[in-house]
Amino acid sequence: MDQNNPRVVSSLSILACLLIITTWSNVAPKAEARAFFVFGDSLVDNGNNNYLATTARADAYPYGIDSASHRASGRFSNGLNMPDLISEKIGSEPTLPYLSPELDGEKLLNGANFASAGIGILNDTGVQFINIIRIGAQLGYFRQYQQRVSALIGEKEAQNLVNQALVLITLGGNDFVNNYYVIPFSARSREYALPDYVVFLISEYRKILVNLYELGARRVLVTGTGPLGCVPAELALHSRNGECAVELQRAVNLFNPQLVQLINQLNTETGSHVFISANAFAMHLDFVNDPQAYGFVTSKVACCGQGAYNGIGLCTPASNLCPNRDLFAFWDPFHPSERANRLIVDKFMTGSTEYMNPMNLSTIMALDSRT
């Protein structure tokens, strides 16, 4: 080969460039993972309440005992919670609590967690916990977040980031447990018969979801409530032989179908599958009804707690603590263990329409990657 020939040299240069480009494209970093935003209560709070003067907190041992640091982070879990596991699945960094001073600069581009333990759909839910971030304030922080990101990358790019993000919202359980049924003859139970209360909750939830849409959310996973009557705290209060509390189950069976109906209506109004219904009731009930099939020894007794079913009071350093958290469906009197959360998030990813409607998260990711 005549390497002094200009044509040959030119061809070799082009070939070398092509090889460099091909090699670079194979090792180049993947496109940035989509942002992830989380709204809701203690099932999804990853530490916001640590920064508040509130009694609804998980900032002391043995919370976080199975996390990488083995320290309590504010998650109501022995380890990771649902948002952490969804972040894993979508290839994102875990979102930071919005109140964390670490959430700044480029870290803002990963999204944020606005959730706060104790809150509900209604502003009077969780008043006993004193200072918590009610859902209206969470949405206010979301507006503030968008202003901060606009200052960082420009308004148009910030809008694109929010439009392309994944959003998770988990509300409703506390409106029953820490409001309507918090004490016999509570203010709300005197004001509303249960069916009317549920209609009221759904009408208020509609405003919240519409607000989220107006703020730019275009893929929103909306979880219904789990089988509230079957958690150890309610078994301790209402169960004689381990059966689920009938009245709370009745509430859930009224609430969840109406929430699905609302989601379908909103999708019709927007002309798109913006809102995705996650059937938390069915996801939980699988291992509540047959814990052994999922490798649990029990779904009635909490790993951490005291009294009947370890369901009385809070999980504290003085509580009974099981040696192997993976064998327990419930970590504390109200919240699933990390392993149970993993089973739930698996259903988010690949569950049939019984669990995720109109589509699961794997389908969402495949669809959205084409746009």
Side-chain angles (χ1 to χ4, degrees), residues 171-184:
L171 290 172
N174 283 324
D175 295 287
F176 297 107
V177 172
N178 285 309
N179 191 331
Y180 195 83
Y181 293 113
V182 67
I183 53 170

Side-chain angles (χ1 to χ4, degrees), residues 94-303:
T95 54
L96 288 167
Y98 188 68
L99 298 185
S100 168
E102 289 180 47
L103 185 66
D104 200 18
E106 293 216 351
K107 287 184 179 176
L108 285 164
L109 306 184
N110 293 327
N113 186 313
F114 302 93
S116 176
I119 72 128
I121 296 165
L122 304 182
N123 277 336
D124 59 312
T125 291
V127 289
Q128 64 272 38
F129 303 123
I130 309 167
N131 186 21
I132 49 182
I133 313 169
R134 305 190 186 287
I135 190 61
Q138 290 184 28
L139 294 170
Y141 279 141
F142 189 34
R143 286 188 200 92
Q144 186 185 80
Y145 165 91
Q146 293 187 38
Q147 291 164 2
R148 292 172 67 188
V149 172
S150 293
L152 194 67
I153 60 175
E155 195 172 327
K156 189 176 180 198
E157 284 303 309
Q159 187 181 350
N160 286 340
L161 181 144
V162 170
N163 290 161
Q164 292 163 15
L166 184 69
V167 178
L168 173 69
I169 185 164
T170 297
L171 290 172
N174 283 324
D175 295 287
F176 297 107
V177 172
N178 285 309
N179 191 331
Y180 195 83
Y181 293 113
V182 67
I183 53 170
F185 312 111
S186 66
R188 286 295 187 185
S189 67
R190 291 197 307 272
E191 184 182 5
Y192 292 101
L194 180 62
D196 299 327
Y197 181 65
V198 170
V199 169
F200 173 53
L201 285 181
I202 295 294
S203 70
E204 292 300 302
Y205 209 164
R206 168 183 266 275
K207 295 173 192 173
I208 293 161
L209 295 177
V210 167
N211 202 337
L212 255 184
Y213 181 79
E214 289 169 348
L215 288 168
R218 293 297 179 266
R219 284 290 192 208
V220 185
L221 307 174
V222 185
T223 71
T225 63
L228 298 176
C230 305
V231 303
E234 299 306 327
L235 296 185
L237 286 175
H238 304 294
S239 182
R240 290 183 180 178
N241 301 305
E243 72 281 4
C244 300
V246 173
E247 192 61 18
L248 272 162
Q249 293 298 87
R250 186 166 82 92
V252 170
N253 288 331
L254 285 169
F255 178 81
N256 284 335
Q258 290 183 51
L259 180 59
V260 171
Q261 209 172 9
L262 169 61
I263 288 167
N264 292 338
Q265 286 168 0
L266 290 172
N267 284 341
T268 300
E269 289 168 21
T270 60
S272 179
H273 294 314
V274 172
F275 299 99
I276 311 297
S277 168
N279 187 345
F281 184 85
M283 294 174 188
H284 281 78
L285 207 62
D286 284 348
F287 55 75
V288 164
N289 283 342
D290 192 358
Q292 285 75 27
Y294 295 86
F296 298 118
V297 294
T298 179
S299 62
K300 297 187 188 300
V301 180
C303 168

Side-chain angles (χ1 to χ4, degrees), residues 45-54 56-59 72-75:
D45 182 358
N46 68 349
N48 280 309
N49 280 20
N50 287 0
Y51 302 94
L52 303 171
T54 178
R57 50 202 309 129
D59 59 346
S73 62
R75 291 163 172 82

